[in-house]
PDB file of all heavy atoms in Angstrom:
ATOM      1  N   TYR A 204     236.514 223.768 165.666  1.00  0.00           N
ATOM      2  CA  TYR A 204     237.108 224.643 166.679  1.00  0.00           C
ATOM      3  C   TYR A 204     236.095 225.679 167.134  1.00  0.00           C
ATOM      4  O   TYR A 204     236.262 226.327 168.162  1.00  0.00           O
ATOM      5  CB  TYR A 204     238.408 225.291 166.154  1.00  0.00           C
ATOM      6  CG  TYR A 204     238.206 226.420 165.168  1.00  0.00           C
ATOM      7  CD1 TYR A 204     238.286 227.751 165.586  1.00  0.00           C
ATOM      8  CD2 TYR A 204     237.907 226.174 163.834  1.00  0.00           C
ATOM      9  CE1 TYR A 204     238.075 228.789 164.696  1.00  0.00           C
ATOM     10  CE2 TYR A 204     237.706 227.203 162.945  1.00  0.00           C
ATOM     11  CZ  TYR A 204     237.792 228.512 163.374  1.00  0.00           C
ATOM     12  OH  TYR A 204     237.571 229.540 162.497  1.00  0.00           O
ATOM     13  N   ILE A 205     235.021 225.839 166.329  1.00  0.00           N
ATOM     14  CA  ILE A 205     233.850 226.591 166.792  1.00  0.00           C
ATOM     15  C   ILE A 205     232.793 225.507 167.026  1.00  0.00           C
ATOM     16  O   ILE A 205     232.225 224.976 166.059  1.00  0.00           O
ATOM     17  CB  ILE A 205     233.363 227.595 165.722  1.00  0.00           C
ATOM     18  CG1 ILE A 205     234.490 228.562 165.343  1.00  0.00           C
ATOM     19  CG2 ILE A 205     232.127 228.347 166.204  1.00  0.00           C
ATOM     20  CD1 ILE A 205     234.200 229.431 164.111  1.00  0.00           C
ATOM     21  N   ILE A 239     228.149 232.364 157.291  1.00  0.00           N
ATOM     22  CA  ILE A 239     228.987 232.850 156.177  1.00  0.00           C
ATOM     23  C   ILE A 239     230.451 233.003 156.598  1.00  0.00           C
ATOM     24  O   ILE A 239     231.345 233.015 155.769  1.00  0.00           O
ATOM     25  CB  ILE A 239     228.457 234.166 155.554  1.00  0.00           C
ATOM     26  CG1 ILE A 239     228.613 235.371 156.483  1.00  0.00           C
ATOM     27  CG2 ILE A 239     227.012 234.001 155.117  1.00  0.00           C
ATOM     28  CD1 ILE A 239     228.337 236.712 155.777  1.00  0.00           C
ATOM     29  N   GLN A 240     230.697 233.134 157.903  1.00  0.00           N
ATOM     30  CA  GLN A 240     232.060 233.224 158.436  1.00  0.00           C
ATOM     31  C   GLN A 240     232.931 234.205 157.640  1.00  0.00           C
ATOM     32  O   GLN A 240     232.567 235.338 157.470  1.00  0.00           O
ATOM     33  CB  GLN A 240     232.672 231.817 158.554  1.00  0.00           C
ATOM     34  CG  GLN A 240     231.994 230.988 159.643  1.00  0.00           C
ATOM     35  CD  GLN A 240     232.203 231.592 161.027  1.00  0.00           C
ATOM     36  OE1 GLN A 240     233.289 232.021 161.371  1.00  0.00           O
ATOM     37  NE2 GLN A 240     231.159 231.649 161.833  1.00  0.00           N
ATOM     38  N   SER A 241     234.062 233.734 157.116  1.00  0.00           N
ATOM     39  CA  SER A 241     235.012 234.680 156.516  1.00  0.00           C
ATOM     40  C   SER A 241     234.554 235.304 155.203  1.00  0.00           C
ATOM     41  O   SER A 241     235.203 236.223 154.717  1.00  0.00           O
ATOM     42  CB  SER A 241     236.354 234.000 156.295  1.00  0.00           C
ATOM     43  OG  SER A 241     237.005 233.898 157.529  1.00  0.00           O
ATOM     44  N   ILE A 242     233.463 234.814 154.644  1.00  0.00           N
ATOM     45  CA  ILE A 242     232.938 235.485 153.451  1.00  0.00           C
ATOM     46  C   ILE A 242     232.574 236.925 153.826  1.00  0.00           C
ATOM     47  O   ILE A 242     232.709 237.852 153.019  1.00  0.00           O
ATOM     48  CB  ILE A 242     231.728 234.708 152.873  1.00  0.00           C
ATOM     49  CG1 ILE A 242     232.192 233.356 152.331  1.00  0.00           C
ATOM     50  CG2 ILE A 242     231.008 235.525 151.799  1.00  0.00           C
ATOM     51  CD1 ILE A 242     231.071 232.438 151.867  1.00  0.00           C
ATOM     52  N   LYS A 244     234.212 238.884 155.419  1.00  0.00           N
ATOM     53  CA  LYS A 244     235.398 239.753 155.364  1.00  0.00           C
ATOM     54  C   LYS A 244     235.487 240.524 154.046  1.00  0.00           C
ATOM     55  O   LYS A 244     236.087 241.592 153.990  1.00  0.00           O
ATOM     56  CB  LYS A 244     236.666 238.922 155.576  1.00  0.00           C
ATOM     57  CG  LYS A 244     236.732 238.266 156.962  1.00  0.00           C
ATOM     58  CD  LYS A 244     237.919 237.321 157.081  1.00  0.00           C
ATOM     59  CE  LYS A 244     237.961 236.635 158.437  1.00  0.00           C
ATOM     60  NZ  LYS A 244     239.015 235.621 158.531  1.00  0.00           N
ATOM     61  N   PHE A 272     244.981 230.826 158.447  1.00  0.00           N
ATOM     62  CA  PHE A 272     244.135 232.005 158.629  1.00  0.00           C
ATOM     63  C   PHE A 272     244.264 232.646 160.001  1.00  0.00           C
ATOM     64  O   PHE A 272     243.986 233.829 160.157  1.00  0.00           O
ATOM     65  CB  PHE A 272     242.667 231.654 158.337  1.00  0.00           C
ATOM     66  CG  PHE A 272     242.038 230.685 159.303  1.00  0.00           C
ATOM     67  CD1 PHE A 272     241.225 231.134 160.328  1.00  0.00           C
ATOM     68  CD2 PHE A 272     242.226 229.321 159.173  1.00  0.00           C
ATOM     69  CE1 PHE A 272     240.613 230.255 161.204  1.00  0.00           C
ATOM     70  CE2 PHE A 272     241.628 228.430 160.046  1.00  0.00           C
ATOM     71  CZ  PHE A 272     240.819 228.890 161.059  1.00  0.00           C
ATOM     72  N   ASN A 273     244.673 231.864 160.997  1.00  0.00           N
ATOM     73  CA  ASN A 273     244.685 232.417 162.355  1.00  0.00           C
ATOM     74  C   ASN A 273     246.103 232.472 162.933  1.00  0.00           C
ATOM     75  O   ASN A 273     246.295 232.440 164.134  1.00  0.00           O
ATOM     76  CB  ASN A 273     243.765 231.595 163.261  1.00  0.00           C
ATOM     77  CG  ASN A 273     244.125 230.114 163.234  1.00  0.00           C
ATOM     78  OD1 ASN A 273     245.116 229.726 162.617  1.00  0.00           O
ATOM     79  ND2 ASN A 273     243.315 229.305 163.880  1.00  0.00           N
ATOM     80  N   ASN A 291     242.455 236.348 159.652  1.00  0.00           N
ATOM     81  CA  ASN A 291     241.690 236.829 160.806  1.00  0.00           C
ATOM     82  C   ASN A 291     242.197 238.175 161.331  1.00  0.00           C
ATOM     83  O   ASN A 291     241.409 239.085 161.599  1.00  0.00           O
ATOM     84  CB  ASN A 291     241.728 235.803 161.934  1.00  0.00           C
ATOM     85  CG  ASN A 291     240.836 234.614 161.633  1.00  0.00           C
ATOM     86  OD1 ASN A 291     240.335 234.479 160.518  1.00  0.00           O
ATOM     87  ND2 ASN A 291     240.635 233.759 162.607  1.00  0.00           N
ATOM     88  N   GLU A 338     231.574 231.095 169.253  1.00  0.00           N
ATOM     89  CA  GLU A 338     232.891 231.634 168.872  1.00  0.00           C
ATOM     90  C   GLU A 338     233.510 232.416 170.022  1.00  0.00           C
ATOM     91  O   GLU A 338     234.705 232.313 170.287  1.00  0.00           O
ATOM     92  CB  GLU A 338     232.759 232.561 167.657  1.00  0.00           C
ATOM     93  CG  GLU A 338     232.562 231.829 166.358  1.00  0.00           C
ATOM     94  CD  GLU A 338     233.236 232.550 165.191  1.00  0.00           C
ATOM     95  OE1 GLU A 338     234.472 232.663 165.190  1.00  0.00           O
ATOM     96  OE2 GLU A 338     232.522 232.992 164.292  1.00  0.00           O
ATOM     97  N   ASN A 345     241.791 234.426 168.514  1.00  0.00           N
ATOM     98  CA  ASN A 345     241.432 235.727 167.941  1.00  0.00           C
ATOM     99  C   ASN A 345     241.675 236.859 168.947  1.00  0.00           C
ATOM    100  O   ASN A 345     242.077 237.960 168.561  1.00  0.00           O
ATOM    101  CB  ASN A 345     239.985 235.717 167.437  1.00  0.00           C
ATOM    102  CG  ASN A 345     239.856 234.929 166.145  1.00  0.00           C
ATOM    103  OD1 ASN A 345     240.635 235.130 165.211  1.00  0.00           O
ATOM    104  ND2 ASN A 345     238.906 234.005 166.085  1.00  0.00           N
ATOM    105  N   TYR A 369     233.391 241.307 165.450  1.00  0.00           N
ATOM    106  CA  TYR A 369     233.941 240.499 164.354  1.00  0.00           C
ATOM    107  C   TYR A 369     233.214 239.148 164.270  1.00  0.00           C
ATOM    108  O   TYR A 369     232.802 238.707 163.195  1.00  0.00           O
ATOM    109  CB  TYR A 369     235.456 240.345 164.583  1.00  0.00           C
ATOM    110  CG  TYR A 369     236.109 239.208 163.853  1.00  0.00           C
ATOM    111  CD1 TYR A 369     236.398 239.310 162.489  1.00  0.00           C
ATOM    112  CD2 TYR A 369     236.463 238.034 164.512  1.00  0.00           C
ATOM    113  CE1 TYR A 369     237.014 238.255 161.816  1.00  0.00           C
ATOM    114  CE2 TYR A 369     237.073 236.990 163.850  1.00  0.00           C
ATOM    115  CZ  TYR A 369     237.343 237.096 162.507  1.00  0.00           C
ATOM    116  OH  TYR A 369     237.946 236.053 161.841  1.00  0.00           O
ATOM    117  N   PHE A 370     233.014 238.484 165.432  1.00  0.00           N
ATOM    118  CA  PHE A 370     232.297 237.201 165.430  1.00  0.00           C
ATOM    119  C   PHE A 370     230.858 237.389 164.960  1.00  0.00           C
ATOM    120  O   PHE A 370     230.317 236.525 164.273  1.00  0.00           O
ATOM    121  CB  PHE A 370     232.294 236.584 166.837  1.00  0.00           C
ATOM    122  CG  PHE A 370     233.631 236.054 167.270  1.00  0.00           C
ATOM    123  CD1 PHE A 370     233.988 236.044 168.611  1.00  0.00           C
ATOM    124  CD2 PHE A 370     234.539 235.544 166.348  1.00  0.00           C
ATOM    125  CE1 PHE A 370     235.217 235.548 169.024  1.00  0.00           C
ATOM    126  CE2 PHE A 370     235.773 235.041 166.750  1.00  0.00           C
ATOM    127  CZ  PHE A 370     236.115 235.047 168.090  1.00  0.00           C
ATOM    128  N   CYS A 373     230.761 237.461 161.315  1.00  0.00           N
ATOM    129  CA  CYS A 373     231.077 236.114 160.787  1.00  0.00           C
ATOM    130  C   CYS A 373     229.872 235.183 160.944  1.00  0.00           C
ATOM    131  O   CYS A 373     229.704 234.242 160.169  1.00  0.00           O
ATOM    132  CB  CYS A 373     232.260 235.505 161.524  1.00  0.00           C
ATOM    133  SG  CYS A 373     233.861 236.240 161.097  1.00  0.00           S
ATOM    134  N   TYR A 421     243.406 231.826 152.079  1.00  0.00           N
ATOM    135  CA  TYR A 421     244.508 231.633 153.029  1.00  0.00           C
ATOM    136  C   TYR A 421     245.728 231.058 152.326  1.00  0.00           C
ATOM    137  O   TYR A 421     246.062 231.469 151.229  1.00  0.00           O
ATOM    138  CB  TYR A 421     244.046 230.751 154.210  1.00  0.00           C
ATOM    139  CG  TYR A 421     242.780 231.264 154.825  1.00  0.00           C
ATOM    140  CD1 TYR A 421     241.618 230.516 154.851  1.00  0.00           C
ATOM    141  CD2 TYR A 421     242.737 232.547 155.351  1.00  0.00           C
ATOM    142  CE1 TYR A 421     240.447 231.021 155.401  1.00  0.00           C
ATOM    143  CE2 TYR A 421     241.581 233.055 155.904  1.00  0.00           C
ATOM    144  CZ  TYR A 421     240.447 232.291 155.919  1.00  0.00           C
ATOM    145  OH  TYR A 421     239.306 232.784 156.454  1.00  0.00           O
ATOM    146  N   LYS A 436     236.258 233.876 147.732  1.00  0.00           N
ATOM    147  CA  LYS A 436     236.541 233.947 149.180  1.00  0.00           C
ATOM    148  C   LYS A 436     235.796 232.826 149.874  1.00  0.00           C
ATOM    149  O   LYS A 436     234.597 232.653 149.671  1.00  0.00           O
ATOM    150  CB  LYS A 436     236.102 235.300 149.746  1.00  0.00           C
ATOM    151  CG  LYS A 436     236.329 235.444 151.249  1.00  0.00           C
ATOM    152  CD  LYS A 436     237.787 235.674 151.581  1.00  0.00           C
ATOM    153  CE  LYS A 436     238.123 235.352 153.038  1.00  0.00           C
ATOM    154  NZ  LYS A 436     238.496 233.921 153.248  1.00  0.00           N
ATOM    155  N   SER A 437     236.525 232.110 150.721  1.00  0.00           N
ATOM    156  CA  SER A 437     235.923 230.994 151.443  1.00  0.00           C
ATOM    157  C   SER A 437     235.640 231.388 152.893  1.00  0.00           C
ATOM    158  O   SER A 437     236.152 232.394 153.385  1.00  0.00           O
ATOM    159  CB  SER A 437     236.905 229.825 151.450  1.00  0.00           C
ATOM    160  OG  SER A 437     238.016 230.172 152.259  1.00  0.00           O
ATOM    161  N   GLY A 438     234.843 230.574 153.559  1.00  0.00           N
ATOM    162  CA  GLY A 438     234.623 230.728 154.998  1.00  0.00           C
ATOM    163  C   GLY A 438     234.622 229.357 155.642  1.00  0.00           C
ATOM    164  O   GLY A 438     234.302 228.372 154.961  1.00  0.00           O
ATOM    165  N   VAL A 439     234.949 229.281 156.939  1.00  0.00           N
ATOM    166  CA  VAL A 439     234.999 227.966 157.582  1.00  0.00           C
ATOM    167  C   VAL A 439     233.620 227.330 157.783  1.00  0.00           C
ATOM    168  O   VAL A 439     233.524 226.171 158.190  1.00  0.00           O
ATOM    169  CB  VAL A 439     235.768 227.967 158.932  1.00  0.00           C
ATOM    170  CG1 VAL A 439     237.251 228.196 158.728  1.00  0.00           C
ATOM    171  CG2 VAL A 439     235.179 228.938 159.920  1.00  0.00           C
ATOM    172  N   GLY A 440     232.554 228.067 157.450  1.00  0.00           N
ATOM    173  CA  GLY A 440     231.222 227.473 157.445  1.00  0.00           C
ATOM    174  C   GLY A 440     231.019 226.585 156.214  1.00  0.00           C
ATOM    175  O   GLY A 440     229.993 225.912 156.077  1.00  0.00           O
ATOM    176  N   GLY A 464     241.318 224.791 155.498  1.00  0.00           N
ATOM    177  CA  GLY A 464     240.108 225.424 156.027  1.00  0.00           C
ATOM    178  C   GLY A 464     239.162 225.942 154.956  1.00  0.00           C
ATOM    179  O   GLY A 464     238.311 226.785 155.223  1.00  0.00           O
TER     180      GLY A 464
HETATM  181  N1  LIG B  12     235.123 233.504 162.589  1.00  0.00           N
HETATM  182  C1  LIG B  12     236.132 232.612 162.112  1.00  0.00           C
HETATM  183  C2  LIG B  12     237.364 232.725 162.978  1.00  0.00           C
HETATM  184  O1  LIG B  12     237.724 233.794 163.359  1.00  0.00           O
HETATM  185  C3  LIG B  12     236.415 232.933 160.668  1.00  0.00           C
HETATM  186  C4  LIG B  12     237.419 232.008 160.037  1.00  0.00           C
HETATM  187  C5  LIG B  12     237.099 231.631 158.609  1.00  0.00           C
HETATM  188  O2  LIG B  12     235.953 231.577 158.167  1.00  0.00           O
HETATM  189  O3  LIG B  12     238.052 231.323 157.891  1.00  0.00           O
HETATM  190  O4  LIG B  12     237.995 231.774 163.309  1.00  0.00           O
END
Side-chain angles (χ1 to χ4, degrees):
Y204 76 100
I205 303 169
I239 70 169
Q240 291 296 317
S241 284
I242 293 174
K244 296 173 182 174
F272 66 100
N273 55 5
N291 286 10
E338 284 214 64
N345 286 312
Y369 161 77
F370 288 150
C373 287
Y421 308 119
K436 179 76 200 88
S437 68
V439 291

